[in-house]
Amino acid sequence: MLSRLKPETLEKAAADPRYMAVYKRACERFDAYMQAPPAYSDDRLIAYFSMEYGLAECMPIYSGGLGVLSGDHMKASSDENYPIVGVGLLYQKGYFQQSLNSDGWQQERTPVNDFYQLPVLPVLREDGNELIVKVTMPGGVVSIKVWHMMVGRIKLYLMDTNIPQNTSAEHRDITDQLYGGDSHTRIRQEIVLGIGGLRALNAMGLKPSVFHMNEGHSAFMPLERTRLLMEEQKLSFTEAFETARASNIFTTHTSVPAGIDLFDGGLVFEYLNAYCDESGIKIDQLFALGRRNPADTSERFSMAILAMKASAYRNAVSVLHGEVSREMWAELWPGLPDAEVPVTSVTNGIHLPTMLYGELAMLYDQYLQPDWRERYVDPRIWDDVKDIPSRELWEVHKKQKRQLVQFVRERSAKAAVRRNASASEIRRLEQVLDPDAFTIGFARRFATYKRATLIFRDVVRLKKLLNSKDRPVQIIIAGKAHPKDHPGKTLIREIVQLSRDPELAQHLVFVEDYSLQVAREMVQGVDLWLNNPRRGEEACGTSGMKAAINGVPNLSILDGWWDEAYEPDLGFALGDRDTYEPGQDEFHASGIYSIIENEILPLFFHRGEDGLPTEWLERVKNCIRKISPQFNAQRMIQEYMHRLYEPAYEAALSYRKDQYQNSRTRAEWSLKVQSAWDRLRFVDLGPKPDGLLTSGQNMPFRVTVDLAGLEPGDVRVEALVGVVASGGTLEQTEVVDLKATECNEAFCVFARDYLPRQTGRLGYALRISPNHFTDPLTRPCGALIRWA
C-alpha cells in the first residue's frame, strides 16, 4: 500500500514519524480489510442499480448528491463486507465542467473520457473475449459492453454502448452523457440500465436475491426479472411479477413531482411494445404499472410509479422526507390514511473516512480509542472528543482554513486567467479572503428551491455584516446549475456580479467548477455551513453532514436530515417546522442575518483568557460528537441490511420454495380474494362504548363480518384508534388487529379488548383488507380495503 502513496506523502511521512506510524497502521488495516472472508454467502447477493456513481475525482460519472450517495453506498458496503454489486452506466463524456464568462453566466464543457486512463476494465467471458449483452430498441439491436471497477471489495459493473458493434450514432450515444439528450435518449438509457444491466449480471452468472433501485431510473429492471421468471420457471405474468416484487427495494430521493421521469404513452409503446410481445407481457399491463390511474390512457408513464408498484419495500431518505413521500404517493393506496402509506425512511449518511480532514483524523488517533476508525458508528467512541484539548482542535481548524483560503485564491485566479480577466481582477482574486475572518460556506446544486441567494436579499445589511472591523465575515459559494436550468444560472450570475461590488469584493467569492475536491476543501475549512432550502423540498441533503463531522456547525432550515439532527448545543435552526409558503423568503433572510449577528458571531469572536473561543469550541465538539456516529454511511448501510435487505432476502427464499410453488399458490389466493371482495361486508359493528372510559379500562371491539366464502385467515379486520382532531379526523392513530373468535357457515366474529394508550377524546374506525402481507411495509399499491 505504501508504494501507491503520492511522493509528497511519502516525503512527509519520512520527515515526521507520526505520519509514518499512521500509514503503517493504515497498511495493516488495509491488509486485514482485503483478506476478511465474505460476511454473507453468495446466494445473498444484492444488486444496487443507480444512474450515477460518485466515487473519486477520476471517475466521470457522478453528478450531485445522488451520485455521491451511490458511491458512499458502495464504499460503506465494502467496509461492512456486505455482498453487494453495483450496476450503472459508463458515460463517454464526464459530467460537465463549469466555467463563467465575464458576465458571470455559466458555461459548460463536457470532457471526453478515455476509459483506458480510468480505473475500469472490460469484463471478459471465459473464452477471453469481451462480454457483450444486447437489448432491442426501435432502431434495431443495441450491443452493450460491460466494464467493471473495484470499490474496495465491491464490484461495480458499468454499461457502455459507444462501441464499434453499434453502427448507429443513435445507439452509440446512449451512454454519451449523464442527463444529456431528449426523452428518447433518456428512455434508451433507462432500458440499457434496467434491462441491459440485469442481462449483464445473468451473463456473468451472478444471480442476486435482492434488487435495489436507487431512484426510478432503473425501473425497467423488475420488468426483465418478471420476463425471466416467466421464461425460466413457466410462471404467469401475475405469478412472476409478484415473485419479483417481493425482493425489490425502491429508494425515492424526490420531494416534488417535477423531479420524476415521465414519458408519453406513445414513446413507451414505441420502445417497449416489441419487448412485451416477445416476453408474453401485455402492453396494457405495463401501462397500468406506470400510472396512478391505470384506466386513464392520457396519463403519462411514470418511472417512479413503476418502481413503487414493482417493489415490496420502499423508502425515503430522511424521516421528514418519509412524511412528505407518504403524502405525495398516497393516491397509490386509495382508502389508506397517509400515516400508513407503506413508505419507510432510511436517513442518508456520508462515508466518514472520505470526507474527514486528515489532520483531524490524526488528532483522533491521539485522543480517541485506538480502534475508532473501525467503530465510528458507536456513539461511545465519540465521548472522548470532550478530552481533546481545545487549543489543539482550534489550531487544526485554523490550519485547514488557511489551506482553504489559499485553495480558493489559486483556483479563482486560474479561472480569471482562463477567461482573460484584467490584471487587476487577477491580483484581487490572488488576495481575496482573510484567514482570520469568520467564514460561511454554501455549496450545492443550484436548483431554485435551495434559495442560494437568500442571504443576499438585504445587501445593505449584508455589507455591514461583512465589512465589520471587529467581527469580519466572509462567504464562499460554489455550485453548478443544470445546463438547461436558466433560473439556476441566473442565481449564479447574480452572486458573481455581487462579488465584484467594491464593498464585497474581498469578502465574497464564487468558486468555479464545483467538484468533490472543492466540496472537501470547503466542508473542512469553513466556520459555518449554510443551508436554506424551502422546507419539505430537500429530501435529505448531505453536505451539512460532511461539514459537521469536520467540526463545522450548521445554520439550516429544519429540513431533510437537519430536522432530525438539530439540537441547540450543536448548531442553529432557521425558522420553524412550518410548511413553506412564498412569503417566508423575507422572513428567513432576516432570520439568517439576525442569528449570525446576535448568536453566532458573539460566540465565535468572544475569547477567554487563553485566547480561545471557548463556547464556540464546545459547540464544535458537540457537533463532532453527536453527528459523526449517527449520520454516516456505515449506519445507513446497516439499516438497509437489517430493515430492508434481509427481509427481502427471506421473501425471495420463500417464493423459491418447491420450484416456485408459493408463487402459484399466492396468485391463486389473490384471485380468490378478488372474486369474493365485492360480496364481503360488515354485518354488525358491535356495541359502542358507553360513556367515559377510565384510564386503565379496556375498550371492547366485537365485529361481525360476512366473509363471502373466504376463510378468517384470508382477511385482516382492524380498528384504527386515535385522538379526534378538531376537524373530526383521527390523529396519533394506532392499528388494532382483531382476532377471529366465532365463525359459522355465514358469518365470522372478530373481537379484541383494547387498552387505549392515549387520553382525551378518542375515536375509531373499522376496516377489513386482504391478509396478503406479514409486514405492513410490503402492502402492494392499490391493495383492497373496505371501511365500515
Side-chain angles (χ1 to χ4, degrees), residues 580-684:
Y580 172 78
E581 296 178 1
Q584 289 182 335
D585 286 356
E586 205 69 45
F587 171 73
H588 287 156
S590 178
I592 291 174
Y593 303 131
S594 178
I595 293 171
I596 292 174
E597 292 166 346
N598 301 315
E599 296 183 49
I600 294 174
L601 294 183
L603 275 176
F604 183 84
F605 283 102
H606 177 71
R607 299 293 190 266
E609 294 181 0
D610 55 4
L612 298 176
T614 306
E615 291 185 46
W616 179 261
L617 287 172
E618 281 303 309
R619 194 169 293 245
V620 166
K621 289 183 179 181
N622 288 336
C623 190
I624 294 171
R625 186 169 55 85
K626 295 182 180 181
I627 300 299
S628 298
Q630 179 62 22
F631 294 95
N632 61 71
Q634 240 54 38
R635 184 272 314 155
M636 175 187 76
I637 198 67
Q638 288 171 8
E639 274 198 63
Y640 272 112
M641 178 58 75
H642 300 310
R643 293 178 52 202
L644 301 177
Y645 292 160
E646 288 180 345
Y649 171 70
E650 294 300 327
L653 289 185
S654 174
Y655 274 91
R656 284 182 205 158
K657 284 183 180 177
D658 303 321
Q659 286 75 49
Y660 291 87
Q661 184 55 44
N662 281 355
S663 302
R664 297 178 175 89
T665 302
R666 181 65 171 263
E668 291 173 2
W669 176 85
S670 294
L671 182 61
K672 179 183 75 170
V673 171
Q674 289 173 8
S675 300
W677 192 255
D678 287 341
R679 294 178 283 114
L680 185 145
R681 61 193 178 92
F682 286 96
V683 176
D684 180 33

Side-chain angles (χ1 to χ4, degrees), residues 180-188 262-264 267 271 300:
D182 56 12
S183 58
H184 285 269
T185 302
R186 188 65 165 214
I187 197 170
R188 290 176 198 140
L262 297 173
F263 296 119
D264 291 333
L267 190 69
Y271 278 88
R300 300 181 76 194

Side-chain angles (χ1 to χ4, degrees), residues 115-350:
F115 298 158
Y116 294 95
Q117 297 294 319
L118 297 174
V120 295
L121 291 171
V123 174
L124 303 180
R125 293 183 179 274
E126 291 183 0
D127 60 8
N129 292 318
E130 293 178 347
L131 175 62
I132 304 291
V133 295
K134 299 179 179 181
V135 295
T136 301
M137 296 201 192
V141 174
V142 178
S143 296
I144 306 167
K145 180 177 177 177
V146 185
W147 300 74
H148 81 276
M149 69 171 292
M150 298 301 298
V151 184
R153 292 177 287 219
I154 300 294
K155 279 195 175 180
L156 170 59
Y157 295 101
L158 301 165
M159 309 298 114
D160 171 24
T161 64
N162 188 18
I163 56 177
Q165 290 89 329
N166 292 321
T167 57
S168 164
E170 178 182 283
H171 291 167
R172 289 196 302 272
D173 288 346
I174 291 173
T175 56
D176 180 61
Q177 186 178 354
L178 174 64
Y179 300 150
D182 56 12
S183 58
H184 285 269
T185 302
R186 188 65 165 214
I187 197 170
R188 290 176 198 140
Q189 288 183 335
E190 297 183 351
I191 289 171
V192 168
L193 176 62
I195 297 175
L198 184 51
R199 289 181 180 179
L201 294 179
N202 286 334
M204 291 181 285
L206 299 175
K207 302 289 184 182
S209 297
V210 175
F211 292 81
H212 186 173
M213 292 173 279
N214 191 37
E215 264 305 345
H217 309 127
S218 57
F220 291 132
M221 178 271 294
L223 201 63
E224 177 70 0
R225 286 195 71 196
T226 300
R227 183 192 70 80
L228 288 171
L229 287 166
M230 293 171 67
E231 179 182 291
E232 297 171 359
Q233 305 300 329
K234 309 306 177 188
L235 300 178
S236 69
F237 171 79
T238 302
E239 294 164 349
F241 181 78
E242 182 57 31
T243 302
R245 192 188 79 86
S247 53
N248 285 341
I249 296 160
F250 169 54
T251 297
T252 173
H253 297 262
T254 307
S255 298
V256 291
I260 296 168
D261 279 345
L262 297 173
F263 296 119
D264 291 333
L267 190 69
V268 176
F269 185 90
E270 178 184 353
Y271 278 88
L272 290 158
N273 184 52
Y275 173 88
C276 288
D277 282 345
E278 293 172 6
S279 307
I281 300 170
K282 296 178 181 177
I283 191 67
D284 288 344
Q285 291 174 317
L286 173 60
F287 278 127
L289 291 172
R291 289 170 173 159
R292 291 176 187 264
N293 179 8
D296 184 0
T297 57
S298 65
E299 184 181 338
R300 300 181 76 194
F301 188 92
S302 167
M303 295 298 285
I305 290 177
L306 172 59
M308 282 276 183
K309 291 185 177 181
S311 301
Y313 298 91
R314 316 151 193 97
N315 73 281
V317 291
S318 71
V319 173
L320 179 60
H321 183 228
E323 296 174 11
V324 171
S325 296
R326 285 187 285 275
E327 182 178 346
M328 182 174 170
W329 297 110
E331 290 180 52
L332 297 179
W333 288 269
L336 200 63
D338 288 1
E340 292 185 71
V341 169
V343 179
T344 187
S345 62
V346 176
T347 301
N348 288 339
I350 52 102

